[in-house]
Amino acid sequence: MANPLTPDVLVDPVELTRALVDIESVSRDETVIAGHVEDVLRQAPHLSTERRGNTVMARTSLGREQRVVLAGHLDTVPLNDNFPSTVVDDLIYGCGASDMKSGVALALHLAATLPEPGYDITYLFYEAEEIESQYNGLQLISESDPEWLQADFAVLLEPTYGVVEAGCQGTMRVLVRTTGRRAHTARAWRGVNAIHAAGEVLRRLDDYRARTVTIDGCTYREGLSAVRITGGVAGNVVPDECAVEVNFRFAPDRTEKQGLEHLHEVFAGFDLEVTDSAPGALPGLTAAPARDFLIAVGAEPAAKLGWTDVSRFAALGIPALNYGPGDPLLAHAQDEHVEIGKIRDGAATLHRWLTAYE
Amino acid sequence: MANPLTPDVLVDPVELTRALVDIESVSRDETVIAGHVEDVLRQAPHLSTERRGNTVMARTSLGREQRVVLAGHLDTVPLNDNFPSTVVDDLIYGCGASDMKSGVALALHLAATLPEPGYDITYLFYEAEEIESQYNGLQLISESDPEWLQADFAVLLEPTYGVVEAGCQGTMRVLVRTTGRRAHTARAWRGVNAIHAAGEVLRRLDDYRARTVTIDGCTYREGLSAVRITGGVAGNVVPDECAVEVNFRFAPDRTEKQGLEHLHEVFAGFDLEVTDSAPGALPGLTAAPARDFLIAVGAEPAAKLGWTDVSRFAALGIPALNYGPGDPLLAHAQDEHVEIGKIRDGAATLHRWLTAYE
């Protein structure tokens, strides 16, 4: 199959967005799109390119003082009667239009057309972001080729609707368990009801006042939510066990360890079992390329509240932020789309930033 | 197969208990035992006998002023490596020894050996008490042949360890629901957490002080217990629904309607959905045959806390109580057994009661 990512397409990030949307690439099925992207990168004489699985990496070696990463995932969630793309007025509709082929288009457009940027640039087009993290291409590269992630600053082109979303909150899930003693409900006083005991857990959740923390001008609002509750043996038995699963979203000034210590304070007297945990990422907006990037964007950053792959860079000590033309509220939606104006704005901003020092 | 319920066996309620335990009769498999019992009853010239499915009914027609029912179920829970019977010292072990073939033995012994009791007697040996009530033989007879249940007083020979347990508590299950509004847990403040809201339901349960009610000298202790709680959408979603299933065991001075009204008071402000309900039964110990029965037993009655088939008689306006030689705490247990002394005591008590007017 001929590569639809022709030179004519690569010079126009809007056309490139459409072309990328029209290459089906549901997670675990990225071979075709990765092949086309690899071809484009290998044809650029200013880049050295490598491929691992369906992750394609390319970088300049211009001897610049600073190196930045531009990264985007090639995969999408499953199609939902939204393939191939369609255009209505200023909107490109299609699976992945927002999350995140419009972002990938910005990076691939720059890779193909900007031979002498002001920073050395590492481009990462990776597989399997939308599924279990064991398949995540960025995670796999951080293990197999960590030197490819080394940089002074990273931009993930995830959908932010043109806003800079810096850092990300951590997330932790714990089971809070209560225990009791079984009895027949006709003789309930002989037992101890573990579901009744869980009332105290829910009371503390209801009374909890979440912190709001401002770091580097970004405001993070924490949250502590019961996400599941289970208990019960049979319709005539006083239950001896109940478990409340709680999700703690914590600002990046807490480590995972500190987050867990906080939960032990909140739920003092109860057993806790951690079922899931991922650290947050500090916004890191004081690094020089980050400051320049904010100047190029010309708007205040906002806090990223969800968890994203910027945290993988943060774990390596690399400041990272999210910036992309898509609308995050449309990600994974059947009517996913992206505004053509946002793609052009994003391309202009990145170009301004990367050519300021030429 | 020869009938093991021979005249020699029928005269001895202890031997008869063993013989009945040794006829396998797990619920829905009562054809053999019902056939043998039917043979015994049809051979007694003082009884008129009928059979419906695997329920066998027989009655005297002596023109006595009062009629009493002696009733017992023929089925057992599934075998549990406790078949056939064994005897160790004063104990008969085996599936159904306590619940309730020792009770059935007392009734069948009287049916075969007492041609002229002081009351007219209706004997009911019925199927499928241990499973869903749609199969319950007593329930089926109350629909197909209600005249067979007509009496002034009924004794169910369920295990009570030789104590009179009168009436029974009602039972009702309701779902108490809370609702909220979904949101991503990273933006928890945009949602309303239905699990947190259920904390108030659990608080009321924990604060609830159950009534203790004394009727005809029997003390009933009510109970209100959460038996199940469910809620949750996904690990990163503020849940919009939670349901607490509550079991209310209520004294027989409340009707089902009054029980539900009480629950609406306790859970004012919450939606309730009734999932199950069965009325209690007043002890009814003021009826003449009941008073005579208590004299024959010579001990104070106790309240029955669990729900039993006496309630089916109560629904027909017939006072009923439980009285049997088995230990209710051993019912359905692998080491189920009955004390031979309790069988002899029970047989003597019933004989005393039924011959006092001869």
Side-chain angles (χ1 to χ4, degrees):
Chain A
M1 175 176 150
N3 192 333
L5 310 179
T6 61
D8 283 356
V9 168
L10 288 162
V11 296
D12 181 350
V14 174
E15 283 305 305
L16 184 51
T17 296
R18 281 206 73 172
L20 288 167
V21 171
D22 289 344
I23 304 170
E24 190 177 323
S25 62
V26 176
S27 307
R28 313 298 284 153
D29 190 17
E30 302 103 329
T31 306
V32 171
I33 197 168
H36 292 326
V37 168
E38 183 184 4
D39 285 348
V40 167
L41 297 173
R42 288 201 186 279
Q43 283 164 30
H46 59 285
L47 296 175
S48 59
T49 299
E50 293 198 31
R51 178 166 171 173
R52 302 277 183 277
N54 287 325
T55 294
V56 189
M57 316 177 283
R59 59 187 166 192
T60 63
S61 298
L62 301 167
R64 302 288 195 247
E65 277 183 29
Q66 306 234 278
R67 173 174 292 279
V68 300
V69 165
L70 295 181
H73 61 83
L74 295 172
D75 64 318
T76 70
V77 294
L79 305 186
N80 186 10
D81 203 19
N82 53 6
F83 180 89
S85 66
T86 52
V87 173
V88 179
D89 300 328
D90 185 44
L91 306 176
I92 299 174
Y93 283 83
C95 187
S98 165
D99 184 14
M100 58 178 286
K101 287 182 172 175
S102 50
V104 167
L106 297 192
L108 192 58
H109 162 72
L110 289 166
T113 62
L114 190 66
E116 296 208 348
Y119 307 106
D120 271 312
I121 305 182
T122 302
Y123 297 96
L124 298 172
F125 300 99
Y126 62 100
E127 63 185 327
E129 191 269 350
E130 297 289 6
I131 55 175
E132 299 86 333
S133 65
Q134 61 176 308
Y135 303 111
N136 184 296
L138 197 58
Q139 178 63 31
L140 296 177
I141 295 300
S142 75
E143 292 161 8
S144 65
D145 300 81
E147 72 283 2
W148 271 91
L149 300 192
Q150 287 309 316
D152 299 286
F153 176 56
V155 176
L156 241 73
L157 292 143
E158 288 276 2
T160 67
Y161 205 56
V163 170
V164 174
E165 292 189 340
C168 78
Q169 299 214 99
T171 177
M172 179 175 294
R173 267 175 277 275
V174 298
L175 287 173
V176 188
R177 292 183 192 285
T178 58
T179 54
R181 193 172 59 243
R182 287 190 197 187
H184 197 290
T185 51
R187 297 177 183 81
W189 64 91
R190 292 196 186 171
V192 177
N193 195 309
I195 294 177
H196 296 193
E200 173 62 15
V201 177
L202 302 188
R203 191 188 63 74
R204 293 191 197 176
L205 282 165
D206 214 32
D207 289 349
Y208 187 79
R209 292 295 163 262
R211 274 195 324 160
T212 295
V213 185
T214 300
I215 306 167
D216 289 358
C218 298
T219 298
Y220 296 89
R221 192 162 165 181
E222 296 188 328
L224 186 63
S225 307
V227 292
R228 194 175 305 282
I229 187 166
T230 54
V233 176
N236 60 356
V237 176
V238 173
D240 58 348
E241 200 173 299
C242 184
V244 186
E245 190 174 18
V246 172
N247 186 202
F248 183 36
R249 298 283 176 149
F250 53 98
D253 64 334
R254 298 193 206 257
T255 63
E256 289 173 274
K257 182 165 174 290
Q258 289 166 336
L260 181 57
E261 284 167 2
H262 179 63
L263 293 185
H264 275 294
E265 286 166 20
V266 172
F267 297 112
F270 293 94
D271 283 340
L272 300 189
E273 180 192 336
V274 177
T275 56
D276 186 36
S277 179
L282 285 163
L285 297 176
T286 52
R291 285 204 309 269
D292 294 337
F293 180 78
L294 291 175
I295 291 167
V297 174
E300 289 299 304
K304 184 72 182 177
L305 297 173
W307 195 91
T308 80
D309 274 344
V310 299
S311 177
R312 299 189 201 277
F313 287 100
L316 298 168
I318 302 166
L321 51 75
N322 292 284
Y323 172 78
D327 181 344
L329 299 179
L330 296 172
H332 307 187
Q334 199 269 331
D335 67 340
E336 181 174 357
H337 58 262
V338 61
E339 296 175 21
I340 287 172
K342 289 282 179 194
I343 299 174
R344 298 214 184 282
D345 287 349
T349 297
L350 290 173
H351 200 270
R352 201 156 56 234
W353 171 49
L354 293 169
T355 56
Y357 291 85
E358 273 189 303
Chain B
M1 175 176 148
N3 193 335
L5 310 179
T6 60
D8 284 354
V9 168
L10 288 162
V11 295
D12 181 350
V14 174
E15 282 307 306
L16 184 51
T17 296
R18 279 206 74 172
L20 288 167
V21 172
D22 290 343
I23 304 170
E24 192 178 321
S25 62
V26 176
S27 307
R28 311 298 283 151
D29 190 17
E30 301 103 330
T31 307
V32 171
I33 197 167
H36 292 326
V37 168
E38 183 184 3
D39 285 351
V40 167
L41 297 173
R42 288 202 185 279
Q43 284 165 31
H46 59 285
L47 297 175
S48 60
T49 299
E50 293 199 29
R51 178 168 171 172
R52 302 279 182 277
N54 287 324
T55 293
V56 190
M57 317 177 283
R59 57 186 168 194
T60 63
S61 298
L62 302 167
R64 302 289 194 247
E65 277 182 31
Q66 307 234 277
R67 175 175 291 279
V68 300
V69 166
L70 296 181
H73 61 83
L74 295 172
D75 62 321
T76 69
V77 294
L79 305 186
N80 186 10
D81 203 18
N82 53 6
F83 181 88
S85 66
T86 53
V87 174
V88 178
D89 300 329
D90 185 45
L91 307 176
I92 299 175
Y93 283 84
C95 187
S98 165
D99 183 12
M100 59 178 284
K101 288 182 171 175
S102 50
V104 168
L106 297 191
L108 192 58
H109 162 73
L110 290 166
T113 62
L114 190 67
E116 297 208 349
Y119 307 105
D120 271 312
I121 305 182
T122 301
Y123 298 96
L124 298 172
F125 301 98
Y126 62 100
E127 63 185 326
E129 190 269 350
E130 298 288 4
I131 56 175
E132 299 86 333
S133 65
Q134 61 177 306
Y135 302 112
N136 184 298
L138 197 60
Q139 178 63 30
L140 295 177
I141 295 300
S142 75
E143 293 161 8
S144 65
D145 302 81
E147 73 283 4
W148 270 92
L149 300 193
Q150 286 309 316
D152 299 285
F153 176 56
V155 175
L156 241 72
L157 292 145
E158 287 276 2
T160 66
Y161 205 54
V163 170
V164 174
E165 293 188 341
C168 77
Q169 300 214 100
T171 178
M172 179 175 295
R173 266 175 279 273
V174 298
L175 287 174
V176 189
R177 293 182 192 283
T178 57
T179 54
R181 192 171 63 244
R182 287 192 196 187
H184 197 290
T185 51
R187 297 178 184 80
W189 64 91
R190 292 196 187 170
V192 177
N193 195 310
I195 294 178
H196 297 192
E200 174 63 15
V201 176
L202 302 189
R203 191 188 64 72
R204 293 191 197 175
L205 283 165
D206 213 32
D207 288 350
Y208 187 79
R209 294 294 163 262
R211 273 194 328 159
T212 295
V213 186
T214 300
I215 306 167
D216 288 358
C218 298
T219 299
Y220 297 89
R221 192 164 166 181
E222 296 188 329
L224 187 62
S225 307
V227 292
R228 197 176 303 282
I229 185 165
T230 53
V233 176
N236 60 356
V237 176
V238 173
D240 58 349
E241 200 172 300
C242 184
V244 186
E245 191 175 17
V246 172
N247 186 202
F248 183 34
R249 299 284 176 148
F250 54 97
D253 65 334
R254 298 193 204 257
T255 63
E256 290 173 274
K257 182 165 174 291
Q258 289 166 335
L260 181 57
E261 284 166 1
H262 180 63
L263 294 185
H264 275 293
E265 287 167 19
V266 172
F267 298 112
F270 293 94
D271 283 340
L272 300 189
E273 179 192 335
V274 177
T275 56
D276 186 36
S277 178
L282 285 164
L285 297 177
T286 52
R291 286 203 310 270
D292 294 337
F293 181 77
L294 290 175
I295 291 167
V297 174
E300 290 298 305
K304 184 72 181 176
L305 297 173
W307 196 90
T308 80
D309 274 344
V310 299
S311 177
R312 297 188 201 277
F313 286 100
L316 298 168
I318 302 166
L321 52 75
N322 292 285
Y323 172 79
D327 180 344
L329 299 179
L330 296 173
H332 307 187
Q334 199 271 330
D335 66 341
E336 180 173 358
H337 57 261
V338 62
E339 296 175 22
I340 287 172
K342 289 280 177 196
I343 299 173
R344 297 214 184 282
D345 287 351
T349 297
L350 290 173
H351 199 270
R352 200 155 57 234
W353 172 49
L354 294 170
T355 56
Y357 292 85
E358 272 188 306

